[in-house]
Amino acid sequence: MSGQSPAASNGITPLQQMVASCSGAIVTSLFVTPLDVVKIRLQAQKNPFPKGKCFVYCNGLMDHICVCENGNTKAWYKAPSHFNGTLDAFVKIVRQEGTKALWSGLPPTLVMAVPATVIYFTCYDQLCSALRVRMGDYSQEAPLLAGAVARVGSATVISPLELIRTQLQSQKQSYRELTDCIRSAVQSEGWLSLWRGLGPTLLRDVPFSAMYWYNYERGKSWLCERSHTREPTLTITFVSGAMSGSIASIVTLPFDVVKTRRQLELGELRAKNLSCQGGFSGLFAGFIPRLIKVAPACAIMISSYEFGKTFFRKHNEERTLRPLQDTNA
């Protein structure tokens, strides 16, 4: 074993965890993005987006604020024909614009979403393994704490980059102009101005992450016991991810509404013209759409990630056993 690189307690290295989470992120975005593209198209059909209007674009990994630049010019919110519902929109988009139109706007968002996901999942696994050892009798609560801390870390790293991306898109500044703008903002408002909007993001994502990982690990263990298996199957991880994602999304829905409104306010060029829902009931707006979006995204991401980790774990075991088999031969 002395010749092997040090692996994590779950049998794979941090680099392999990064590769597994990166692969899972790409698979998730490919499956979930078409749902959001169709949703945005249907929204644009009902209420056409004027120039300067902001909307939320989700690739299954994280939410992004996009700014409508010239009315209906961008592929993901132009309306070439009338859509009679979600299925009709899918069919007409593919037929009239080609299959690639279902992934409109995806590449620019992956530049931040994939690194954020890699940081988040790798940090969670590393923290959870360390906490399980140190928490002793309370090791079952390790996913709760690890999930919360990992989300704080990834959101803090990505938040300034998302702010810069939104500003680049909305004001069409050159990188030199953007640098001057950032420098001016830092001088007048301090470095914390780069993390404007981080508060509402953490308000939703930290409780969601803590609940998600806690319920996922407990659900996965329970299903493994019921199935009489030590290693979770693809079905077990998929079901556990969907259920835990659904529970977390329902509980944190009010925070999601607050976060989305704040994001739109920060991205909108004319924030005063925004209409917003008020009252307690407004905090639970979009219950079904959020559940439909979050549950499959969580299920696909975690099952892809676990599949990647299982692949690397078996690869490492075979690599370890091969010299012993050669010696015995």
Side-chain angles (χ1 to χ4, degrees):
M1 291 291 288
S2 59
Q4 299 292 326
S5 59
S9 59
N10 58 5
I12 65 174
T13 65
L15 179 60
Q16 290 171 333
Q17 289 173 338
M18 292 180 186
V19 174
S21 57
C22 180
S23 302
I26 293 172
V27 170
T28 303
S29 64
L30 290 176
F31 273 98
V32 177
T33 297
L35 298 175
D36 210 59
V37 168
V38 169
K39 182 202 74 176
I40 292 170
R41 291 290 200 90
L42 291 171
Q43 286 177 344
Q45 176 178 276
K46 187 176 181 181
N47 297 301
F49 298 156
K51 182 178 180 179
K53 180 69 176 176
C54 287
F55 60 94
V56 178
Y57 175 91
C58 179
N59 54 23
L61 304 172
M62 62 185 291
D63 295 335
H64 300 271
I65 295 299
C66 294
V67 184
C68 185
E69 298 166 10
N70 297 306
N72 293 331
T73 60
K74 287 286 184 178
W76 62 78
Y77 51 77
K78 69 183 180 183
S81 61
H82 181 74
F83 300 135
N84 298 311
T86 303
L87 184 59
D88 184 58
F90 268 108
V91 173
K92 286 182 178 177
I93 290 173
V94 172
R95 185 179 297 163
Q96 298 175 11
E97 304 169 46
T99 307
K100 288 196 298 183
L102 292 175
W103 288 273
S104 301
L106 177 60
T109 65
L110 289 181
V111 173
M112 277 174 298
V114 171
T117 304
V118 170
I119 293 170
Y120 173 48
F121 275 78
T122 305
C123 286
Y124 166 77
D125 261 344
Q126 294 293 312
L127 282 169
C128 194
S129 296
L131 288 172
R132 285 186 194 276
V133 175
R134 289 167 174 77
M135 293 178 70
D137 295 337
Y138 300 96
S139 60
Q140 284 192 336
E141 278 69 47
L144 198 74
L145 182 57
V149 174
R151 177 57 76 185
V152 170
S154 62
T156 302
V157 170
I158 294 299
S159 185
L161 300 179
E162 176 68 3
L163 194 70
I164 291 170
R165 186 196 67 82
T166 305
Q167 192 162 347
L168 270 174
Q169 187 195 29
S170 63
Q171 299 182 12
K172 283 297 180 182
Q173 295 176 322
S174 66
Y175 285 103
R176 190 170 193 175
E177 291 172 329
L178 182 64
T179 303
D180 293 338
C181 181
I182 294 171
R183 187 181 294 114
S184 175
V186 170
Q187 289 175 350
S188 60
E189 303 176 45
W191 284 101
L192 290 180
S193 63
L194 297 179
W195 283 269
R196 191 181 293 122
L198 178 62
T201 298
L202 295 180
L203 184 65
R204 182 198 70 173
D205 290 356
V206 172
F208 178 94
S209 183
M211 283 185 285
Y212 170 77
W213 284 110
Y214 178 78
N215 290 323
Y216 170 73
E217 297 290 0
R218 294 297 295 269
K220 183 176 69 172
S221 298
W222 184 79
L223 287 174
C224 283
E225 289 178 10
R226 298 278 295 181
S227 303
H228 305 290
T229 177
R230 292 181 60 188
E231 291 294 327
T233 63
L234 191 65
T235 302
I236 288 175
T237 56
F238 189 91
V239 172
S240 300
M243 293 301 296
S244 57
S246 298
I247 294 169
S249 67
I250 292 170
V251 175
T252 60
L253 182 60
F255 302 141
D256 180 63
V257 175
V258 172
K259 173 186 179 273
T260 301
R261 289 183 192 171
R262 180 58 177 157
Q263 276 187 315
L264 291 173
E265 287 171 2
L266 291 172
E268 194 75 52
L269 297 179
R270 290 174 290 183
K272 292 183 180 179
N273 293 331
L274 282 176
S275 61
C276 54
Q277 296 164 310
F280 180 77
S281 61
L283 294 178
F284 290 90
F287 168 75
I288 297 299
R290 174 162 164 76
L291 194 61
I292 292 173
K293 178 177 69 175
V294 171
C298 288
I300 295 169
M301 178 64 215
I302 195 63
S303 56
S304 301
Y305 179 55
E306 293 282 15
F307 179 84
K309 290 200 300 181
T310 300
F311 170 81
F312 283 119
R313 191 179 298 114
K314 290 180 179 178
H315 171 76
N316 292 341
E317 290 173 356
E318 291 174 0
R319 194 173 163 190
T320 303
L321 293 173
R322 193 175 299 129
L324 297 175
Q325 292 172 346
D326 293 342
T327 302
N328 294 332

